[in-house]
Amino acid sequence: MYPAHIESYYRPTTVAEALAAITRQPEGDSMFLAGGQSLMQAIKSRMVRPTSIVDLQSVAELRGIDQANGLRIGAMTRYVEIAEYEQFPAAYAALRDAAERVGDRQVRNRGTIGGSVCWNYVASCLPSVVLALNGTMSLASADGSIRDVKAKDFIIAPLETARREDEILLCVSWPKPPPKTGSAYKKWGLVTDALPVVGMCVSISLDDLGKCRTAQVAVAGLADGAQIADAGGAALIGSAGDEASISAAMNDVADSVETHSDHWADASYREQLIKRLGVEVTLRAFARARR
Amino acid sequence: MQTINVKVNGTTYQESVPIRMLLVDFIREVVGLTGTHVSCTYEGVCGACTIHLNGEAVKSCMLLAVQADGHEITTVEGLANDKELSPLQKAFNEQHGLQCGFCTAGVLMNMTEFLAKNPNPSDDEIRHGLIGNLCRCTGYVHIVNAVRAAAKSIAN
Ligand SMILES: Cc1cc2nc3c(=O)[nH]c(=O)nc-3n(C[C@H](O)[C@H](O)[C@H](O)COP(=O)(O)OP(=O)(O)OC[C@H]3O[C@@H](n4cnc5c(N)ncnc54)[C@H](O)[C@@H]3O)c2cc1C
Ligand code: FES
Ligand code: FES
């Protein structure tokens, strides 16, 4: 595992400079480098061989968490910053659940939300969270235009997103949270904080009577990567947050998605994980929505 | 090749390096400080290569040396103040926190930053903090003891 020859290295300080640098090379030869916690592995194993690296570490406008107008998390915001941010509204608390359990301290000190969703690894945490929370990805290109893409249109398949190679992800954002909304995420991996064999993210909004008004469920770790489970969201509507109705909804989730067997877990074990983790995170999402 | 300026343990090095050079190799081969180890063929999973980049614990096999241009690095050689071992280093000695020592530099660097952020950690927090460092010898019990002892000695 060692990188092949790399021709050039740029460290732009603005988004415009970063986009100019990425378009200077023929398409595919140049890659953005964020925390490097996925890309460096791919470069070392020579799965990708960029001739040019555009390091985003000094682009200040890509960093930080801001709640001036809804919630905006800059693409270069690291897991450690999300894990230590104490002001997430209940609606977006799943972001913190996920970030504080990614890998290990050293990975969280480098890895970014932008890198995670742009890489969209088959077994990863943040892609499922942005799906369940219906985040918006803002992408900028060299001609100065910016387009907003909803998570469900952005996350396409493992290692595949709606981002074009010459686009930079600026941020992931959300509107001001609707009232009585809560979310939660939890995963199970082979060792503590490992990549998810299964991860579950649930977002719930309650009506005035405390019944579920809208719900969104996403599953991480499927053969097709992170996926929304529409059946789960639909089955939770009307639930008062009791374990029986949540259990029934999570059975629907397990039935509706296709689980696979690999050296980590077989398909039926994955189904059990979906049900068990699903009930646990849905109860937590309800509790957070009630607060 | 690219010329970089990196401060390692207080000394600035200006060197010309290939862009593909990993930071851990810059530290070991160019600067000549071999306390930082490689134990998983740069796969990013063992933590033996953990250093501080601007005070934060990171795996130095996961960075290119050029990424450290303009930044400050501390390696295990920079933990002791003159010949005076840091409280964590002393605790590792007194509590037998190491056996072969191959993982130790990385554990010390990670736990030094951990203790700065969590001065009064529970055992669970210490164990959670250690996830990124594999130790094949100790079974971690003495490492946890050493980190706990260091937290106490720093507090006093
Ligand atoms: C030991 C270890 C354990 C891990 N455990 C987990 C885990 O438990 N859960 C989990 O989800 N992940 C885990 N990961 C992966 C980790 O989350 C990565 O940090 C993350 O997938 C990538 O983020 P990054 O900032 O490091 O991006 P990089 O690796 O730098 O980049 C990833 C990709 O995104 C592109 N990119 C990055 N930023 C932008 C941007 N702003 N605009 C456009 N393109 C961009 C890059 O060009 C590259 O293609 C682990 C990794 C390691 C090494
Ligand atoms: S050598 Fe860097 S993590 Fe193993
Ligand atoms: S002391 Fe030998 S690997 Fe940790």
Side-chain angles (χ1 to χ4, degrees):
Chain A
M1 292 253 296
Y2 212 85
H5 175 71
I6 300 168
E7 202 67 50
S8 51
Y9 169 83
Y10 302 101
R11 196 189 290 179
T13 56
T14 64
V15 166
E17 280 171 24
L19 286 165
I22 208 91
T23 42
R24 205 172 296 152
Q25 309 284 333
E27 199 171 320
D29 284 356
S30 190
M31 291 184 88
F32 292 121
L33 177 60
Q37 302 301 297
S38 292
L39 188 57
M40 284 305 297
Q41 305 299 64
I43 288 176
K44 285 184 270 181
S45 67
R46 310 203 177 180
M47 180 186 140
V48 295
R49 292 175 82 139
T51 54
S52 159
I53 298 274
V54 181
D55 182 355
L56 301 176
Q57 64 165 289
S58 299
V59 186
E61 59 200 290
L62 295 178
R63 291 189 179 278
I65 305 176
D66 174 9
Q67 290 200 72
N69 185 16
L71 172 66
R72 177 195 185 277
I73 305 184
M76 284 295 287
T77 307
R78 299 172 302 157
Y79 293 120
V80 62
E81 295 158 74
I82 298 172
E84 289 176 359
Y85 185 76
E86 286 175 355
Q87 284 116 50
F88 282 118
Y92 307 134
L95 286 160
R96 196 172 173 205
D97 294 344
E100 66 189 6
R101 293 286 172 178
V102 166
D104 54 52
R105 296 189 74 248
Q106 294 98 314
V107 170
R108 293 192 295 274
N109 276 344
R110 296 289 305 166
T112 66
I113 184 171
S116 177
V117 299
C118 287
W119 191 248
N120 191 22
Y121 188 63
V122 61
S124 59
C125 301
L126 270 297
S128 67
V129 175
V130 299
L131 279 174
L133 304 189
N134 207 12
T136 298
M137 322 283 159
S138 298
L139 296 161
S141 27
D143 65 9
S145 66
I146 294 177
R147 66 183 178 119
D148 286 345
V149 183
K150 284 281 178 200
K152 68 174 173 28
D153 301 317
F154 183 84
I155 303 289
I156 295 178
L159 303 182
E160 206 182 323
T161 69
R163 185 183 74 87
R164 292 194 314 266
E165 279 175 7
D166 60 346
E167 282 180 314
I168 194 168
L169 177 70
L170 300 175
C171 62
V172 189
S173 63
W174 287 271
K176 280 215 161 30
K180 293 198 177 299
T181 304
S183 71
Y185 173 83
K186 191 173 180 184
K187 67 179 169 183
W188 186 88
L190 290 198
V191 294
T192 312
D193 293 1
L195 297 173
V197 169
V198 164
M200 293 293 291
C201 190
V202 173
S203 164
I204 299 273
S205 287
L206 303 180
D207 63 19
D208 290 339
L209 300 170
K211 291 221 160 97
C212 174
R213 185 168 59 79
T214 63
Q216 187 125 276
V217 179
V219 185
L222 299 171
D224 292 334
Q227 304 262 306
I228 292 203
D230 284 323
L236 282 171
I237 290 173
S239 162
D242 56 293
E243 203 162 328
S245 66
I246 293 174
S247 250
M250 292 307 129
N251 288 344
D252 288 357
V253 174
D255 287 343
S256 73
V257 299
E258 202 167 312
T259 54
H260 64 293
S261 295
D262 59 15
H263 59 289
W264 284 357
D266 61 28
S268 62
Y269 193 72
R270 278 195 166 80
E271 273 183 39
Q272 286 305 317
L273 286 172
I274 288 172
K275 293 177 191 171
R276 288 286 291 272
L277 293 170
V279 171
E280 191 181 331
V281 295
T282 309
L283 285 169
R284 194 165 307 136
F286 263 100
R288 285 174 173 168
R290 287 190 196 109
R291 268 191 301 209
Chain B
M1 300 289 274
Q2 189 137 337
T3 302
I4 59 173
N5 285 283
V6 185
K7 201 183 232 183
V8 184
N9 302 332
T11 305
T12 300
Y13 294 82
Q14 184 177 68
E15 302 287 347
S16 186
V17 298
I19 291 169
R20 70 177 187 141
M21 177 179 266
L22 298 176
L23 181 58
V24 65
D25 285 346
F26 175 78
I27 293 167
R28 288 177 56 85
E29 318 280 333
V30 179
V31 179
L33 294 173
T34 53
T36 304
H37 291 168
V38 174
S39 111
C40 65
T41 56
Y42 314 113
E43 288 186 34
V45 293
C46 75
C49 66
T50 301
I51 54 138
H52 288 183
L53 178 67
N54 302 329
E56 292 178 317
V58 303
K59 295 173 188 168
S60 59
C61 73
M62 298 291 281
L63 283 136
L64 298 168
V66 290
Q67 289 180 272
D69 185 20
H71 297 305
E72 283 190 30
I73 282 172
T74 310
T75 68
V76 69
E77 291 90 343
L79 283 185
N81 194 352
D82 251 344
K83 291 262 153 60
E84 177 76 11
L85 294 181
S86 75
L88 185 64
Q89 288 175 305
K90 266 191 216 135
F92 266 69
N93 181 336
E94 286 160 8
Q95 303 288 327
H96 309 288
L98 60 144
Q99 288 181 25
C100 80
F102 209 86
C103 69
T104 311
V107 176
L108 289 170
M109 297 317 290
N110 184 24
M111 287 294 108
T112 297
E113 189 218 350
F114 170 82
L115 284 175
K117 279 187 151 178
N118 310 274
N120 185 21
S122 66
D123 280 13
D124 276 354
E125 287 166 339
I126 295 171
R127 287 181 178 277
H128 189 235
L130 281 165
I131 287 172
N133 295 89
L134 292 185
C135 176
R136 290 298 199 208
C137 302
T138 63
Y140 299 95
V141 173
H142 290 200
I143 294 180
V144 175
N145 290 348
V147 176
R148 191 193 315 110
K152 283 213 183 84
S153 93
I154 295 167
N156 291 329

